[in-house]
Amino acid sequence: MARRAVPRFEAVKLTRYKHACHAMFHAPNEDKLFGRIPVRHTVLMQMRFDGRLGFPGGFVDLEEGLEAGLNRELEEEMGLDVRICGITEEDWAATEVHDEQNFVSHFYIKKITLDQIRQIETAATTAKDHGLESLGLVRVPVYTLPRDKAGGLPAFLSNTFIGTAREELLMGLEQEGILSHAEIQKALKASGARRQ
Ligand code: GTP
Ligand code: MN
Ligand code: MN
Ligand code: MN
Ligand code: MN
Ligand code: MN
C-alpha cells in the first residue's frame, strides 16, 4: 500500500480525493495498576463496528473543512463536547496520501487532562453512533507488564487495526514523548512485530 506524507496545506488541494480525519486524545495518568505498576499515560482508541481498533473520526467533506468535519464525527461517535475538547488546526499531526485508493487520511493529536478523558468516556455511551459505528472507547495500555514482558502494550499491538491506525498510535506515542523510541521498539519486538 503506497502512501506519501504531505503537509496539510498541500493535502487540502486534493479535491478529487476522499478525505478522512481521525484523532488521538491523551492525558498523563499517575494511577498505579494493582497499586504498583505505573499506568503512565492514557490514550484513547475505539473498537470499531468491524471489530478493528482505530481512532475516532471519519470521512469529511473538504467544503465543511477538515477540523469541522472531524469535530462532527467526534460528536457522532463519542459524544464529544467540541466546545471543551474540540479539535483545531493546531492539533494537526500528519497527513498521508494514498494515491491508488484516491484517499487522504489526516491525523490529529490532542493532549487533555485525565478529568477530561473521564468526561469523554462518560459521555461516549450516549453518543448517536455508540453501539453502531463505535463499539466503545478503549484505553491503550502503554506500559508493559513486568511479569511476562508481553502483557500491556505488546499484546495490545497484536490486535487488528484499521488502515494505518497502528502506525499512527506508535507515531503519537513517540511524538508526544509518551514512550521513547527504544521503549516502542522493545514493545514491537515483544508483540511479535506482526505487520498488517
Ligand atoms: P461512515 O459514516 O460509515 O462513512 O464512517 P466514518 O465516516 O466514521 O468513516 P471511518 O471512521 O470508518 O473512516 C473512513 C476511512 O478511514 C475508513 O474506511 C478507513 O479506511 C480509514 N480509517 C478509519 N479509522 C482510521 C484510523 O484510525 N486511522 C487511519 N489512518 N485511517 C482510518
Ligand atoms: Mn480484578
Ligand atoms: Mn469513524
Ligand atoms: Mn463516523
Ligand atoms: Mn461519516
Ligand atoms: Mn456515519
Side-chain angles (χ1 to χ4, degrees):
M1 192 168 67
R3 56 183 205 260
R4 56 191 170 95
V6 300
R8 187 191 174 288
F9 81 96
E10 288 287 347
V12 293
K13 296 176 194 161
L14 298 169
T15 53
R16 292 174 182 283
Y17 287 63
K18 287 216 277 185
H19 291 251
C21 297
H22 293 89
M24 175 179 125
F25 290 93
H26 69 95
N29 186 333
E30 285 173 9
D31 291 346
K32 286 206 167 83
L33 175 63
F34 310 132
R36 65 193 153 81
I37 300 165
V39 166
R40 297 177 62 166
H41 218 93
T42 291
V43 175
L44 291 182
M45 290 191 81
Q46 80 177 183
M47 177 56 74
R48 292 163 45 89
F49 64 93
D50 59 10
R52 301 184 176 95
L53 288 161
F55 291 97
F59 285 116
V60 302
D61 283 327
L62 284 179
E63 296 93 87
E64 71 180 323
L66 297 180
E67 292 79 21
L70 175 54
N71 284 325
R72 171 185 52 72
E73 285 287 344
L74 296 175
E75 199 179 347
E76 290 170 4
E77 296 186 0
M78 55 193 257
L80 188 74
D81 187 339
V82 299
R83 292 163 309 176
I84 300 172
C85 285
I87 295 289
T88 69
E89 211 177 307
E90 278 180 30
D91 304 314
W92 177 86
T95 292
E96 279 189 335
V97 180
H98 304 254
D99 287 296
E100 292 109 85
Q101 286 98 336
N102 258 269
F103 176 65
V104 184
S105 76
H106 307 270
F107 185 57
Y108 293 77
I109 301 176
K110 193 174 183 73
K111 185 176 184 179
I112 56 178
T113 66
L114 191 55
D115 272 341
Q116 288 173 325
I117 294 265
R118 291 196 189 98
Q119 283 161 20
I120 287 173
E121 288 173 328
T122 302
T125 57
T126 64
K128 172 177 151 283
D129 281 333
H130 179 75
L132 299 168
E133 278 181 42
S134 172
L135 303 183
L137 293 173
V138 294
R139 294 188 183 197
V140 177
V142 302
Y143 48 81
T144 297
L145 294 175
R147 184 207 280 257
D148 66 354
K149 301 192 168 50
L153 184 59
F156 184 85
L157 291 172
S158 62
N159 279 294
T160 302
F161 293 80
I162 184 76
T164 53
R166 186 174 182 269
E167 284 92 329
E168 286 164 346
L169 171 63
L170 297 172
M171 183 197 79
L173 291 175
E174 184 164 354
Q175 188 170 306
E176 296 296 289
I178 298 167
L179 294 181
S180 70
H181 184 74
E183 285 171 320
I184 291 167
Q185 291 311 115
K186 209 170 160 187
L188 276 171
K189 223 172 158 187
S191 79
R194 191 158 72 88
R195 307 295 302 177
Q196 51 204 335

